[in-house]
mmCIF file of all heavy atoms in Angstrom:
data_model
loop_
_atom_site.group_PDB
_atom_site.id
_atom_site.type_symbol
_atom_site.label_atom_id
_atom_site.label_comp_id
_atom_site.label_asym_id
_atom_site.label_seq_id
_atom_site.Cartn_x
_atom_site.Cartn_y
_atom_site.Cartn_z
ATOM 1 N N SER A 1 -6.048 3.824 -3.312
ATOM 2 C CA SER A 1 -5.911 3.825 -4.776
ATOM 3 C C SER A 1 -5.041 4.992 -5.231
ATOM 4 O O SER A 1 -4.201 4.847 -6.131
ATOM 5 C CB SER A 1 -7.295 3.914 -5.432
ATOM 6 O OG SER A 1 -8.080 2.777 -5.127
ATOM 7 N N ALA A 2 -5.226 6.155 -4.581
ATOM 8 C CA ALA A 2 -4.425 7.329 -4.934
ATOM 9 C C ALA A 2 -2.956 7.114 -4.581
ATOM 10 O O ALA A 2 -2.054 7.533 -5.320
ATOM 11 C CB ALA A 2 -4.959 8.563 -4.207
ATOM 12 N N ALA A 3 -2.705 6.458 -3.439
ATOM 13 C CA ALA A 3 -1.326 6.167 -3.032
ATOM 14 C C ALA A 3 -0.660 5.228 -4.033
ATOM 15 O O ALA A 3 0.511 5.402 -4.395
ATOM 16 C CB ALA A 3 -1.316 5.558 -1.637
ATOM 17 N N LEU A 4 -1.408 4.218 -4.489
ATOM 18 C CA LEU A 4 -0.881 3.285 -5.486
ATOM 19 C C LEU A 4 -0.533 4.020 -6.784
ATOM 20 O O LEU A 4 0.522 3.789 -7.380
ATOM 21 C CB LEU A 4 -1.901 2.184 -5.761
ATOM 22 C CG LEU A 4 -2.140 1.166 -4.646
ATOM 23 C CD1 LEU A 4 -3.367 0.308 -4.970
ATOM 24 C CD2 LEU A 4 -0.920 0.285 -4.457
ATOM 25 N N ALA A 5 -1.434 4.907 -7.214
ATOM 26 C CA ALA A 5 -1.207 5.653 -8.459
ATOM 27 C C ALA A 5 0.025 6.559 -8.333
ATOM 28 O O ALA A 5 0.846 6.646 -9.253
ATOM 29 C CB ALA A 5 -2.441 6.482 -8.807
ATOM 30 N N ALA A 6 0.159 7.215 -7.175
ATOM 31 C CA ALA A 6 1.306 8.106 -6.959
ATOM 32 C C ALA A 6 2.608 7.317 -6.936
ATOM 33 O O ALA A 6 3.636 7.765 -7.460
ATOM 34 C CB ALA A 6 1.123 8.875 -5.646
ATOM 35 N N ALA A 7 2.569 6.126 -6.329
ATOM 36 C CA ALA A 7 3.772 5.294 -6.252
ATOM 37 C C ALA A 7 4.177 4.783 -7.630
ATOM 38 O O ALA A 7 5.371 4.713 -7.960
ATOM 39 C CB ALA A 7 3.538 4.125 -5.299
ATOM 40 N N ARG A 8 3.188 4.419 -8.440
ATOM 41 C CA ARG A 8 3.498 3.969 -9.800
ATOM 42 C C ARG A 8 4.159 5.097 -10.599
ATOM 43 O O ARG A 8 5.145 4.886 -11.313
ATOM 44 C CB ARG A 8 2.225 3.529 -10.523
ATOM 45 C CG ARG A 8 1.663 2.208 -10.074
ATOM 46 C CD ARG A 8 0.617 1.693 -11.060
ATOM 47 N NE ARG A 8 -0.282 0.749 -10.408
ATOM 48 C CZ ARG A 8 -1.444 1.075 -9.871
ATOM 49 N NH1 ARG A 8 -1.858 2.336 -9.930
ATOM 50 N NH2 ARG A 8 -2.198 0.169 -9.297
ATOM 51 N N LYS A 9 3.603 6.290 -10.476
ATOM 52 C CA LYS A 9 4.124 7.435 -11.217
ATOM 53 C C LYS A 9 5.546 7.768 -10.779
ATOM 54 O O LYS A 9 6.407 8.078 -11.616
ATOM 55 C CB LYS A 9 3.210 8.646 -11.016
ATOM 56 C CG LYS A 9 3.622 9.866 -11.823
ATOM 57 C CD LYS A 9 2.626 10.999 -11.652
ATOM 58 C CE LYS A 9 3.026 12.213 -12.475
ATOM 59 N NZ LYS A 9 2.049 13.325 -12.334
ATOM 60 N N ALA A 10 5.802 7.701 -9.471
ATOM 61 C CA ALA A 10 7.128 8.040 -8.947
ATOM 62 C C ALA A 10 8.073 6.844 -8.931
ATOM 63 O O ALA A 10 9.249 6.993 -8.593
ATOM 64 C CB ALA A 10 6.984 8.602 -7.528
ATOM 65 N N ARG A 11 7.520 5.652 -9.250
ATOM 66 C CA ARG A 11 8.313 4.424 -9.225
ATOM 67 C C ARG A 11 8.998 4.234 -7.873
ATOM 68 O O ARG A 11 10.207 4.066 -7.774
ATOM 69 C CB ARG A 11 9.348 4.430 -10.355
ATOM 70 C CG ARG A 11 8.729 4.438 -11.748
ATOM 71 C CD ARG A 11 9.773 4.329 -12.828
ATOM 72 N NE ARG A 11 9.162 4.298 -14.152
ATOM 73 C CZ ARG A 11 9.843 4.205 -15.293
ATOM 74 N NH1 ARG A 11 11.168 4.142 -15.262
ATOM 75 N NH2 ARG A 11 9.195 4.163 -16.448
ATOM 76 N N CYS A 12 8.174 4.278 -6.854
ATOM 77 C CA CYS A 12 8.687 4.155 -5.493
ATOM 78 C C CYS A 12 7.714 3.337 -4.648
ATOM 79 O O CYS A 12 6.586 3.065 -5.081
ATOM 80 C CB CYS A 12 8.899 5.543 -4.875
ATOM 81 S SG CYS A 12 7.367 6.455 -4.560
ATOM 82 N N PRO A 13 8.095 2.935 -3.454
ATOM 83 C CA PRO A 13 7.217 2.114 -2.621
ATOM 84 C C PRO A 13 6.188 2.933 -1.848
ATOM 85 O O PRO A 13 6.305 4.159 -1.730
ATOM 86 C CB PRO A 13 8.199 1.436 -1.654
ATOM 87 C CG PRO A 13 9.303 2.439 -1.508
ATOM 88 C CD PRO A 13 9.441 3.064 -2.868
ATOM 89 N N VAL A 14 5.185 2.224 -1.347
ATOM 90 C CA VAL A 14 4.219 2.786 -0.408
ATOM 91 C C VAL A 14 4.607 2.287 0.982
ATOM 92 O O VAL A 14 4.824 1.087 1.178
ATOM 93 C CB VAL A 14 2.779 2.345 -0.740
ATOM 94 C CG1 VAL A 14 1.812 2.808 0.355
ATOM 95 C CG2 VAL A 14 2.346 2.909 -2.084
ATOM 96 N N ILE A 15 4.703 3.192 1.937
ATOM 97 C CA ILE A 15 5.089 2.825 3.299
ATOM 98 C C ILE A 15 3.886 2.949 4.218
ATOM 99 O O ILE A 15 3.185 3.969 4.213
ATOM 100 C CB ILE A 15 6.233 3.709 3.826
ATOM 101 C CG1 ILE A 15 7.469 3.577 2.930
ATOM 102 C CG2 ILE A 15 6.590 3.336 5.262
ATOM 103 C CD1 ILE A 15 8.640 4.437 3.375
ATOM 104 N N VAL A 16 3.631 1.912 5.016
ATOM 105 C CA VAL A 16 2.587 1.941 6.043
ATOM 106 C C VAL A 16 3.240 1.625 7.384
ATOM 107 O O VAL A 16 4.304 0.999 7.444
ATOM 108 C CB VAL A 16 1.462 0.919 5.755
ATOM 109 C CG1 VAL A 16 0.738 1.272 4.476
ATOM 110 C CG2 VAL A 16 2.018 -0.500 5.679
ATOM 111 N N ALA A 17 2.591 2.067 8.459
ATOM 112 C CA ALA A 17 3.156 1.828 9.786
ATOM 113 C C ALA A 17 3.044 0.363 10.182
ATOM 114 O O ALA A 17 3.997 -0.231 10.692
ATOM 115 C CB ALA A 17 2.452 2.715 10.820
ATOM 116 N N LYS A 18 1.861 -0.216 9.972
ATOM 117 C CA LYS A 18 1.602 -1.604 10.342
ATOM 118 C C LYS A 18 0.883 -2.302 9.197
ATOM 119 O O LYS A 18 0.141 -1.664 8.442
ATOM 120 C CB LYS A 18 0.734 -1.674 11.609
ATOM 121 C CG LYS A 18 1.398 -1.125 12.878
ATOM 122 C CD LYS A 18 0.400 -1.073 14.027
ATOM 123 C CE LYS A 18 1.026 -0.572 15.318
ATOM 124 N NZ LYS A 18 1.839 -1.601 15.961
ATOM 125 N N LEU A 19 1.063 -3.604 9.081
ATOM 126 C CA LEU A 19 0.442 -4.348 7.993
ATOM 127 C C LEU A 19 -1.078 -4.263 8.045
ATOM 128 O O LEU A 19 -1.744 -4.181 7.014
ATOM 129 C CB LEU A 19 0.877 -5.818 8.044
ATOM 130 C CG LEU A 19 0.365 -6.698 6.895
ATOM 131 C CD1 LEU A 19 0.861 -6.188 5.553
ATOM 132 C CD2 LEU A 19 0.793 -8.147 7.110
ATOM 133 N N CYS A 20 -1.645 -4.247 9.254
ATOM 134 C CA CYS A 20 -3.105 -4.198 9.382
ATOM 135 C C CYS A 20 -3.686 -2.883 8.875
ATOM 136 O O CYS A 20 -4.901 -2.771 8.705
ATOM 137 C CB CYS A 20 -3.522 -4.453 10.823
ATOM 138 S SG CYS A 20 -2.886 -3.256 12.005
ATOM 139 N N ARG A 21 -2.849 -1.856 8.660
ATOM 140 C CA ARG A 21 -3.356 -0.616 8.077
ATOM 141 C C ARG A 21 -3.685 -0.817 6.599
ATOM 142 O O ARG A 21 -4.440 -0.043 6.017
ATOM 143 C CB ARG A 21 -2.362 0.522 8.250
ATOM 144 C CG ARG A 21 -2.073 0.907 9.699
ATOM 145 C CD ARG A 21 -3.319 1.200 10.506
ATOM 146 N NE ARG A 21 -3.992 0.016 10.983
ATOM 147 C CZ ARG A 21 -5.276 -0.078 11.226
ATOM 148 N NH1 ARG A 21 -6.085 0.935 10.982
ATOM 149 N NH2 ARG A 21 -5.809 -1.189 11.688
ATOM 150 N N LEU A 22 -3.105 -1.861 5.998
ATOM 151 C CA LEU A 22 -3.526 -2.265 4.660
ATOM 152 C C LEU A 22 -4.727 -3.178 4.797
ATOM 153 O O LEU A 22 -5.806 -2.885 4.318
ATOM 154 C CB LEU A 22 -2.385 -2.989 3.947
ATOM 155 C CG LEU A 22 -1.192 -2.133 3.553
ATOM 156 C CD1 LEU A 22 -0.091 -2.999 2.960
ATOM 157 C CD2 LEU A 22 -1.592 -1.048 2.564
ATOM 158 N N SER A 23 -4.540 -4.303 5.496
ATOM 159 C CA SER A 23 -5.633 -5.237 5.741
ATOM 160 C C SER A 23 -5.110 -6.407 6.559
ATOM 161 O O SER A 23 -3.905 -6.649 6.625
ATOM 162 C CB SER A 23 -6.196 -5.746 4.404
ATOM 163 O OG SER A 23 -7.238 -6.682 4.621
ATOM 164 N N ARG A 24 -6.059 -7.137 7.186
ATOM 165 C CA ARG A 24 -5.721 -8.401 7.832
ATOM 166 C C ARG A 24 -6.167 -9.577 6.950
ATOM 167 O O ARG A 24 -6.101 -10.718 7.377
ATOM 168 C CB ARG A 24 -6.402 -8.497 9.205
ATOM 169 C CG ARG A 24 -5.826 -7.560 10.265
ATOM 170 C CD ARG A 24 -6.456 -7.851 11.612
ATOM 171 N NE ARG A 24 -5.871 -7.071 12.672
ATOM 172 C CZ ARG A 24 -6.299 -5.886 13.072
ATOM 173 N NH1 ARG A 24 -7.341 -5.353 12.444
ATOM 174 N NH2 ARG A 24 -5.719 -5.226 14.055
ATOM 175 N N ASP A 25 -6.624 -9.266 5.767
ATOM 176 C CA ASP A 25 -7.159 -10.275 4.856
ATOM 177 C C ASP A 25 -6.086 -10.679 3.846
ATOM 178 O O ASP A 25 -5.573 -9.845 3.100
ATOM 179 C CB ASP A 25 -8.383 -9.705 4.127
ATOM 180 C CG ASP A 25 -9.057 -10.727 3.237
ATOM 181 O OD1 ASP A 25 -8.594 -10.896 2.098
ATOM 182 O OD2 ASP A 25 -10.031 -11.358 3.688
ATOM 183 N N VAL A 26 -5.766 -11.976 3.825
ATOM 184 C CA VAL A 26 -4.714 -12.463 2.938
ATOM 185 C C VAL A 26 -5.065 -12.211 1.470
ATOM 186 O O VAL A 26 -4.209 -11.806 0.671
ATOM 187 C CB VAL A 26 -4.469 -13.976 3.155
ATOM 188 C CG1 VAL A 26 -3.429 -14.486 2.164
ATOM 189 C CG2 VAL A 26 -4.007 -14.236 4.576
ATOM 190 N N HIS A 27 -6.326 -12.443 1.099
ATOM 191 C CA HIS A 27 -6.752 -12.249 -0.291
ATOM 192 C C HIS A 27 -6.554 -10.793 -0.704
ATOM 193 O O HIS A 27 -6.095 -10.508 -1.821
ATOM 194 C CB HIS A 27 -8.214 -12.659 -0.448
ATOM 195 C CG HIS A 27 -8.749 -12.471 -1.839
ATOM 196 N ND1 HIS A 27 -8.364 -13.259 -2.905
ATOM 197 C CD2 HIS A 27 -9.625 -11.558 -2.342
ATOM 198 C CE1 HIS A 27 -8.984 -12.849 -4.006
ATOM 199 N NE2 HIS A 27 -9.746 -11.827 -3.690
#
């Protein structure tokens, strides 16, 4: 949530190493 807030403020993307670090859940 903090990463999302920081990205919105800076108007930039969030970078992760692998998709599963976000989630394996489509929803």
Side-chain angles (χ1 to χ4, degrees):
S1 296
L4 290 169
R8 286 194 203 94
K9 184 176 181 179
R11 296 185 178 180
C12 68
V14 173
I15 300 179
V16 296
K18 295 173 178 283
L19 184 61
C20 61
R21 297 307 80 208
L22 291 175
S23 179
R24 289 187 175 91
D25 184 276
V26 177
H27 179 71

